Amino acid sequence: DTAVSQTPKYLVTQMGNDKSIKCEQNLGHDTMYWYKQDSKKFLKIMFSYNNKELIINETVPNRFSPKSPDKAHLNLHINSLELGDSAVYFCASSQEYGRVAVETQYFGPGTRLLVL
Amino acid sequence: RKEVEQDPGPFNVPEGATVAFNCTYSNSASQSFFWYRQDCRKEPKLLMSVYSSGNEDGRFTAQLNRASQYISLLIRDSKLSDSATYLCVVNYRNQFYFGTGTSLTVIP
């Protein structure tokens, strides 16, 4: 039974299109994240939500908009896709305890986005 | 300056060898520390947490040196299946910071 799932696994699209990636976790965690891993394999935080509330919003273009309908889901919508958006996008979740020293993160399998 | 720095490698070692990775972090108030493993085209997975007193899990030993702000991972008796990228992760103010990873290839 998958703990953190993402759809789609692969996404190939043209520049200028709008696309969404969905993420769901069944671990009962309060916090969910989106990361981008570029071609150099560097994993960088994009957004973090705690109980549907945005708590981290790193410097990403405002073409990227996260949405959390409930604490088990965190979706990522990308407008006007650009070549530089090509990367692997990972969703993750973790449990916080009193906002101190969160426990480990569990990652989804990733969505490989290729913008042509 | 990056929050977490690692030597990217690659480290190519023969089976049975002992290999060590180090990682430094910039923020002295960092709260928790981890090593993750990432296989090719897969997601990162927790290998082990790192505790102040040092901890061991089978062939893997992790150490934390808060004074010098570095974390280490020692792998003894390397197996072919240990080939992967090892990511050093530091938590500061409830945000996870990842190193760029160290690539390990264990050769038969």
Side-chain angles (χ1 to χ4, degrees):
Chain A
D1 198 17
T2 308
V4 183
S5 58
Q6 289 178 234
T7 53
K9 268 188 120 170
Y10 299 94
L11 187 51
V12 181
T13 189
Q14 300 281 344
M15 263 175 55
N17 283 350
D18 302 340
K19 290 292 177 187
S20 291
I21 308 171
K22 295 187 176 181
C23 178
E24 177 181 357
Q25 54 95 3
N26 62 8
L27 297 165
H29 287 167
D30 292 326
T31 307
M32 295 183 73
Y33 311 80
W34 277 110
Y35 287 87
K36 179 181 179 181
Q37 189 169 43
D38 58 27
S39 56
K40 294 181 182 174
K41 308 296 184 191
F42 181 54
L43 203 62
K44 187 165 167 48
I45 184 82
M46 299 175 71
F47 301 102
S48 171
Y49 270 73
N50 179 268
N51 276 316
K52 305 194 299 173
E53 180 189 336
L54 180 66
I55 55 171
I56 294 171
N57 183 357
E58 291 295 307
T59 309
V60 299
N62 58 14
R63 299 181 293 104
F64 290 79
S65 51
K67 280 205 172 60
S68 181
D70 55 61
K71 73 174 196 176
H73 295 84
L74 181 61
N75 303 324
L76 183 65
H77 188 76
I78 316 170
N79 288 328
S80 303
L81 278 155
E82 299 177 358
L83 295 177
D85 297 334
S86 296
V88 182
Y89 292 84
F90 286 103
C91 176
S93 74
S94 69
Q95 186 64 50
E96 275 192 28
Y97 297 101
R99 300 219 165 218
V100 173
V102 297
E103 293 295 323
T104 59
Q105 292 185 309
Y106 295 84
F107 282 81
T111 295
R112 281 151 186 80
L113 171 65
L114 178 61
V115 182
L116 302 173
Chain B
R1 187 185 169 189
K2 287 185 182 167
E3 287 85 3
V4 180
E5 304 234 29
Q6 288 182 254
D7 178 351
F11 285 65
N12 299 315
V13 302
E15 259 186 298
T18 295
V19 61
F21 307 136
N22 289 327
C23 157
T24 57
Y25 60 95
S26 59
N27 200 308
S28 60
S30 296
Q31 297 159 299
S32 48
F33 310 88
F34 310 91
W35 282 101
Y36 277 68
R37 171 191 169 133
Q38 186 172 23
D39 292 293
C40 188
R41 300 182 67 77
K42 296 283 189 182
E43 72 273 23
K45 287 186 179 173
L46 178 70
L47 178 67
M48 57 198 301
S49 301
V50 187
Y51 303 118
S52 299
S53 53
N55 47 300
E56 194 173 302
D57 182 1
R59 299 180 292 108
F60 299 84
T61 301
Q63 297 275 358
L64 167 64
N65 185 319
R66 282 192 185 267
S68 303
Q69 293 178 211
Y70 82 77
I71 307 152
S72 64
L73 177 68
L74 182 78
I75 306 176
R76 288 182 300 279
D77 188 23
S78 300
K79 311 286 184 198
L80 296 178
S81 57
D82 294 335
S83 297
T85 297
Y86 290 83
L87 301 163
C88 175
V89 183
V90 171
N91 185 287
Y92 171 66
R93 287 191 179 171
N94 295 335
Q95 186 170 344
F96 290 88
Y97 294 92
F98 284 74
T100 50
T102 300
S103 173
L104 171 68
T105 301
V106 180
I107 304 160

